[in-house]
Amino acid sequence: MTTRDFTVLTDVSMITCIIQRGKADAIVQAAQDAGAQGATIYYGYGSGVRERLGLLGLAVDVEKEIITILVADDQVDRIFERMYFAAELDLPGAGIIYLTKLEKAATYIPREIIEKVGRAP
Amino acid sequence: MATDDSLSFGRYTRELNVHLDEISYNEMIPAIELDEQGNEKPHRPSSIAAGRGDIYRLLKPYLSVRFNDQFRAVTPLAIYLVLFQIFILRQSIADSSIITAGLIAVILGLMLFMEGLKVGLMPFGEALGISLPAKAKLLTVVVVVFLLGIGVTFAEPAIGALQTAGSLVDVRQAPYLYFLLTQWAGTLVLSVGVGVGLAAALGTIRFIYGWSLKPLIYMTLVPVLCISIYMALDPELSKVLGLAFDCGAVTTGPVTVPLVLSLGIGIARAAGRGSDSLSGFGIVTLASLFPIVAVMILALTLSMSYSPSEIIAASTMAQAGSMQIPWYESSPGVEIVGGVRAIVPLVIFLLLVMVLLLKERIPHAKIVSFGIFLCVIGMIVFNLGLSYGLSKLGGQSGGLVPAAFTQLETVADSPLYVLSLGLFIAMAFAWVLGFGATLAEPALNALGMTVESLTSGSFKKSTLMYAVSIGVACGISLGVAKIIFEIPIAYLLVPGYLIAIVLTHFSNEEYVNIAWDSAGVTTGPVTVPLVLAMGLGFGNALGAVEGFGILSMASIGPIIAVLTTGLYIRRKISKSHVVFDDSLETVSVV
């Protein structure tokens, strides 16, 4: 019987950031500059604050982009904060960012890193 | 890996810059309100008042994107015209400050108008398109679409350019043309509108029954060509031909195309035909062919009721009598009235259909009415900019370009160049203008993307854009040649459309749809007034009878170019298939 190696990552958090359509790239760039490895962007549609802004709400697009980034717990606060400012979320209607603690994740991990940080097989 | 016993410099500076606070979300939830019976009332959030700094930060990206869109469409053309005039023709720009202000007005006006269209008129049209087929009979739907076609024609910004053009025509040289553009200007626009309305109605029926576009094109073009030949034989009527064909190009602008399309697609979807990827095409084609017939018929009616001499007499009388021009017929009153008249009837019509026929409330009434307000303001500003900026600049350049090869009183030591070089410069000027203006047109970019996905990548976006631009450029060059050499427009248009018919016959349905629609898409709100004014200025400087026809050449050009490219692509694909099949065969033989 052959055994196969399976390494899961722990201490992972997920940052989800919802912003207006077309703004994701700059925010992902800010997150990557701060050490995030990858990002997934998908499209959505939604509003909330927009309706409460009156005519000014026209300046807020109802089409949204949703970024999800998986980050290590040690870097999460730093990236969370960088993304908040890159997305200018201190503006009404600009969007929201939130953090979810994940139990585990699994993906490709370079062999030399497993050897370096992983437990001996 | 970061460890807790060292402090990174980044973390240190962050602590200095960011003051971190935590609030529990529980503290922000609203209290539950109860009514008299003790039932829970639905929560209605209060509106948020944004601070002044926030308003600026919210509006800045919103406005700058929209401003830049229009800025990018207008400025390169204006700079090209100015540079050409200064360096090649060595003439300074007259009234440069007024023209600059006018161009800024065009940019602002288009920006406001487009945004108003997006938030005001379009949602209105879409709501109608969705609920109309569900609640009304097919006949009612077709009638509403027909009336809407008339309404959008009046709202089209470029249609104002036609009326401006009327003042440049000399009554003695082309009485019918003059009469159509002045006294009968309203009737002219109405007949164009009827053409667009019929096209929209027919296009909708085509959507529902899934008819092929080819027979419709043949059926429309036969009367177009027959009447053209008849009119070309009459010396007075032949001068109106250019106008008739130009009207077809003017109609398919930024209002007609999206509004009629959104309604048509909604209806087609309700009829269960929405899945056909080509269903969006065709209406634009018909909407650019039908008005030609409509204007021709109008011209024929005019020629039957009045003789040229009667018109000349009447208009000279009118000119003598009209010393006191009322405020609404002089600038800027005429622009304001024009802006209101373009939008308000369309809105009232849509409103009546919505309320009386469908008995539905308008969605987001506040935002929609704000959008309509923006449309009206935008239209007024755009019209002002048109009169003082685009038309003026185009007319000036057009009037000066002939100085390159002929003698003009207004230009000292003209002709500036020897005849052959001068003619070449004039044609090249027109070519580059057409090429640049078309490539900059945002609608073309959108069409290119649709086409690329429709043909699964075999017709590339850039291929289409260059094919259309080259077609327009060659068309405009030919149009200028028509004015220089006084070629009757029928000699260019009739063979042009005949070639298009032959190519249509050999092309498959997809390319036919794309090619005929590309002609309508290219003639946007910036290109049309500029090219019209240039042509008229050009014609005036040369003493030609009329400067129309350039636009119509600019719409037949891309049809031929795109059809040819389509045939070429199909040949290339079928060739590669043959090679592939051969190799398969050899493999099986071995």
Side-chain angles (χ1 to χ4, degrees):
Chain A
M1 197 176 115
T2 52
T3 51
R4 299 192 62 184
D5 290 333
F6 180 43
T7 313
V8 293
L9 295 168
T10 54
D11 296 329
V12 193
S13 290
M14 175 170 74
I15 300 176
T16 310
C17 185
I18 305 172
I19 63 267
Q20 290 172 63
R21 179 72 58 92
K23 301 206 164 172
D25 287 346
I27 298 161
V28 168
Q29 189 56 51
Q32 283 176 341
D33 289 347
Q37 309 240 353
T40 309
I41 299 162
Y42 43 103
Y43 291 150
Y45 181 93
S47 58
V49 177
R50 186 179 188 270
E51 273 64 54
R52 297 168 61 185
L53 280 171
L55 278 182
L56 203 59
L58 282 178
V60 178
D61 201 336
V62 285
E63 297 190 5
K64 309 291 184 200
E65 279 171 333
I66 300 143
I67 311 173
T68 58
I69 300 186
L70 296 194
V71 294
D73 281 350
D74 280 349
Q75 55 176 184
V76 66
D77 285 335
R78 196 170 118 84
I79 295 177
F80 191 76
E81 185 192 296
R82 292 277 186 94
M83 285 173 73
Y84 176 88
F85 287 114
E88 298 191 78
L89 293 182
D90 51 341
L91 268 178
I96 193 167
I97 185 166
Y98 55 87
L99 182 67
T100 321
K101 183 77 189 85
L102 299 184
E103 198 163 316
K104 56 187 160 195
T107 179
Y108 164 75
I109 306 166
R111 184 161 292 279
E112 59 270 24
I113 293 184
I114 298 184
E115 281 163 6
K116 202 169 133 196
V117 302
R119 273 171 240 107
Chain B
M1 282 190 84
T3 46
D4 280 336
D5 46 54
S6 67
L7 182 68
S8 74
F9 184 64
R11 202 175 178 124
Y12 166 71
T13 46
R14 192 194 79 173
E15 289 304 324
L16 292 181
N17 290 331
V18 178
H19 176 70
L20 186 70
D21 261 339
E22 280 185 9
I23 310 178
S24 164
Y25 196 15
N26 286 334
E27 288 170 29
M28 295 170 66
I29 54 170
I32 296 169
E33 291 173 53
L34 301 174
D35 60 13
E36 293 84 41
Q37 281 88 39
N39 295 323
E40 201 175 307
K41 275 201 273 191
H43 174 62
R44 296 272 175 272
S46 60
S47 57
I48 299 171
R52 209 168 291 161
D54 286 348
I55 292 176
Y56 169 74
R57 283 173 62 201
L58 267 174
L59 286 180
K60 202 186 127 209
Y62 172 76
L63 291 178
S64 64
V65 165
R66 279 148 185 84
F67 183 81
N68 284 341
D69 278 350
Q70 305 306 335
F71 187 77
R72 267 199 295 264
V74 175
T75 324
L77 285 178
I79 290 176
Y80 168 67
L81 285 183
V82 168
L83 289 182
F84 187 85
Q85 194 165 328
I86 292 174
F87 288 106
I88 309 284
L89 302 177
R90 296 172 216 148
Q91 302 297 315
S92 59
I93 310 281
D95 303 328
S96 56
S97 53
I98 296 179
I99 289 181
T100 313
L103 288 177
I104 293 172
V106 165
I107 296 174
L108 286 177
L110 271 180
M111 174 183 130
L112 292 173
F113 181 76
M114 290 307 203
E115 188 59 17
L117 194 67
K118 203 180 117 202
V119 303
L121 283 180
M122 291 292 292
F124 221 151
E126 276 162 23
L128 265 183
I130 292 165
S131 52
L132 189 62
K135 292 198 176 177
K137 290 197 198 74
L138 179 64
L139 184 69
T140 326
V141 172
V142 170
V143 169
V144 169
V145 171
F146 170 72
L147 291 174
L148 182 75
I150 299 179
V152 288
T153 307
F154 278 91
E156 198 62 63
I159 212 93
L162 267 187
Q163 278 146 334
T164 323
S167 53
L168 296 169
V169 177
D170 184 11
V171 65
R172 264 168 244 89
Q173 280 184 314
Y176 285 141
L177 186 64
Y178 176 84
F179 199 75
L180 278 178
L181 286 169
T182 51
Q183 251 94 324
W184 275 23
T187 327
L188 178 73
V189 179
L190 185 69
S191 69
V192 172
V194 169
V196 174
L198 280 177
L202 193 64
T204 310
I205 300 174
R206 184 184 100 90
F207 272 169
I208 295 171
Y209 295 108
W211 290 345
S212 163
L213 186 63
K214 276 191 197 182
L216 286 179
I217 291 179
Y218 299 144
M219 267 160 46
T220 328
L221 273 182
V222 169
V224 165
L225 292 180
C226 289
I227 305 177
S228 315
I229 293 167
Y230 171 75
M231 286 175 70
L233 295 175
D234 185 311
E236 286 305 322
L237 280 173
S238 65
K239 292 163 191 162
V240 189
L241 262 185
L243 171 73
F245 276 89
D246 278 6
C247 281
V250 169
T251 51
T252 46
V255 188
T256 316
V257 175
L259 206 60
V260 170
L261 269 188
S262 68
L263 194 60
I265 290 173
I267 291 167
R269 198 168 291 156
R273 291 264 179 193
S275 54
D276 185 2
S277 53
L278 281 172
S279 59
F281 288 86
I283 280 194
V284 177
T285 308
L286 296 175
S288 57
L289 287 179
F290 278 33
I292 301 177
V293 186
V295 173
M296 283 176 169
I297 292 174
L298 183 72
L300 288 177
T301 327
L302 176 67
S303 72
M304 281 169 208
S305 33
Y306 298 98
S307 71
S309 48
E310 276 174 6
I311 291 169
I312 297 174
S315 62
T316 29
M317 282 265 290
Q319 273 168 359
S322 65
M323 293 308 282
Q324 199 67 40
I325 305 167
W327 69 271
Y328 56 84
E329 277 178 22
S330 65
S331 183
V334 66
E335 280 88 359
I336 294 171
V337 172
V340 174
R341 208 168 49 190
I343 308 291
V344 173
L346 178 65
V347 170
I348 292 176
F349 169 69
L350 287 174
L351 203 66
L352 284 179
V353 172
M354 201 83 180
V355 175
L356 293 182
L357 201 64
L358 301 176
K359 302 195 169 55
E360 270 192 32
R361 287 179 53 230
I362 300 119
H364 310 295
K366 203 164 145 193
I367 288 180
V368 165
S369 43
F370 177 69
I372 289 164
F373 172 73
L374 279 187
C375 269
V376 174
I377 298 289
M379 194 75 175
I380 292 171
V381 176
F382 177 77
N383 277 344
L384 282 171
L386 201 65
S387 314
Y388 292 100
L390 270 187
S391 290
K392 210 167 185 149
L393 183 62
Q396 203 178 98
S397 301
L400 286 171
V401 169
F405 58 86
T406 185
Q407 187 163 3
L408 289 185
E409 286 172 22
T410 45
V411 180
D413 46 87
S414 62
L416 295 164
Y417 303 94
V418 285
L419 185 68
S420 53
L421 180 64
L423 283 175
F424 174 76
I425 287 176
M427 306 277 271
F429 164 79
W431 202 94
V432 174
L433 181 71
F435 189 79
T438 313
L439 216 51
E441 201 70 59
L444 183 61
N445 200 3
L447 181 76
M449 279 195 271
T450 321
V451 166
E452 190 172 307
S453 60
L454 275 184
T455 57
S456 5
S458 65
F459 207 133
K460 290 213 169 51
K461 183 180 125 188
S462 54
T463 316
L464 179 91
M465 287 179 69
Y466 283 111
V468 172
S469 303
I470 289 171
V472 172
C474 294
I476 290 184
S477 281
L478 269 177
V480 168
K482 169 240 163 196
I483 297 176
I484 299 175
F485 301 112
E486 294 193 32
I487 310 167
I489 189 78
Y491 286 18
L492 291 171
L493 284 173
V494 174
Y497 276 98
L498 284 177
I499 294 173
I501 289 180
V502 172
L503 287 172
T504 302
H505 179 72
F506 289 112
S507 302
N508 47 345
E509 186 74 17
E510 285 171 43
Y511 292 135
V512 169
N513 278 285
I514 296 165
W516 284 86
D517 269 21
S518 65
V521 167
T522 51
T523 42
V526 180
T527 323
V528 168
L530 203 59
V531 170
L532 260 186
M534 194 193 79
L536 290 170
F538 205 89
N540 269 6
L542 284 174
V545 175
E546 42 101 12
F548 288 104
I550 298 186
L551 272 181
S552 44
M553 290 312 294
S555 51
I556 185 68
I559 297 176
I560 296 176
V562 173
L563 281 173
T564 317
T565 319
L567 283 176
Y568 168 73
I569 288 175
R570 208 173 57 164
R571 247 192 74 206
K572 213 172 65 178
I573 292 174
S574 64
K575 233 182 204 169
S576 66
H577 275 264
V578 168
V579 171
F580 186 64
D581 288 342
D582 280 353
S583 64
L584 267 184
E585 230 168 51
T586 42
V587 169
S588 62
V589 164
V590 170

